[in-house]
Amino acid sequence: MNKVPLNISISQDLITSIFSDLIGTSISLAGFVLASLTIIVTFKDNITQKANANLSNVGEGNDNKNSSGIELLFSSKHYGRIVGVFTWAVFIYLLLFLVLSFLKLFIGKIDETFFVYLCIVPIVLITLTIFRSVLVLYRIIKLQLAR
């Protein structure tokens, strides 16, 4: 079995470039998740208004036994958990934005042995957070399309 040596030269310029990319990515994703959260809250308000209108129509003989899956989701205990996932995602992205921005300012003072870790940890956090947010959003959309 042949060993393949993996020599990666990590310079301060490379780390600064990666930090810039991660900063831009984290703030962009924070905007995406915030927009998704706004849409979900708007759906909830719309469904609440429809439910109130339907309650006033029930006295007139209209019966609302056909609730969609999305209406059931927004009236269940899972709605709070969904909002929590998106809220924490926004906080994580904003925290990453701030931490990476400060690290970029002080990159000259940081020991080179930590450069790889300072890049890997934010990449993992960004990837896992966006995966979780997109998974929740996909399940909401799938529930809405199942009508």
Side-chain angles (χ1 to χ4, degrees):
M1 182 185 220
N2 293 334
K3 291 184 179 180
V4 178
L6 185 61
N7 293 329
I8 301 173
S9 63
I10 299 175
S11 67
Q12 187 173 342
D13 293 335
L14 176 64
I15 297 302
T16 303
S17 174
I18 292 172
F19 276 4
S20 296
D21 294 341
L22 290 174
I23 289 168
T25 301
S26 66
I27 201 69
S28 297
L29 288 172
F32 164 74
V33 173
L34 193 58
S36 299
L37 182 61
T38 304
I39 290 168
I40 289 171
V41 169
T42 304
F43 278 155
K44 168 77 171 177
D45 289 342
N46 188 22
I47 289 172
T48 304
Q49 289 177 357
K50 279 185 181 179
N52 290 339
N54 286 338
L55 283 176
S56 64
N57 290 337
V58 168
E60 300 171 6
N62 296 337
D63 196 7
N64 186 23
K65 291 182 181 177
N66 298 328
S67 294
S68 70
I70 201 80
E71 290 171 344
L72 293 174
L73 173 71
F74 286 148
S75 63
S76 73
K77 65 179 179 180
H78 300 293
Y79 175 74
R81 291 170 56 185
I82 291 168
V83 170
V85 165
F86 285 102
T87 304
W88 274 107
V90 170
F91 287 141
I92 289 170
Y93 289 135
L94 291 178
L95 182 68
L96 280 172
F97 169 75
L98 292 172
V99 168
L100 291 171
S101 296
F102 282 116
L103 284 175
K104 188 175 176 183
L105 289 174
F106 301 111
I107 195 72
K109 307 280 184 196
I110 300 171
D111 189 19
E112 290 181 3
T113 57
F114 296 112
F115 281 170
V116 174
Y117 299 115
L118 292 175
C119 290
I120 291 175
V121 171
I123 289 170
V124 168
L125 279 173
I126 287 172
T127 303
L128 291 177
T129 305
I130 194 64
F131 178 74
R132 184 177 182 198
S133 300
V134 168
L135 182 66
V136 169
L137 192 60
Y138 171 74
R139 288 189 178 186
I140 292 171
I141 291 170
K142 186 176 162 184
L143 185 63
Q144 178 65 25
L145 295 177
R147 289 178 26 164

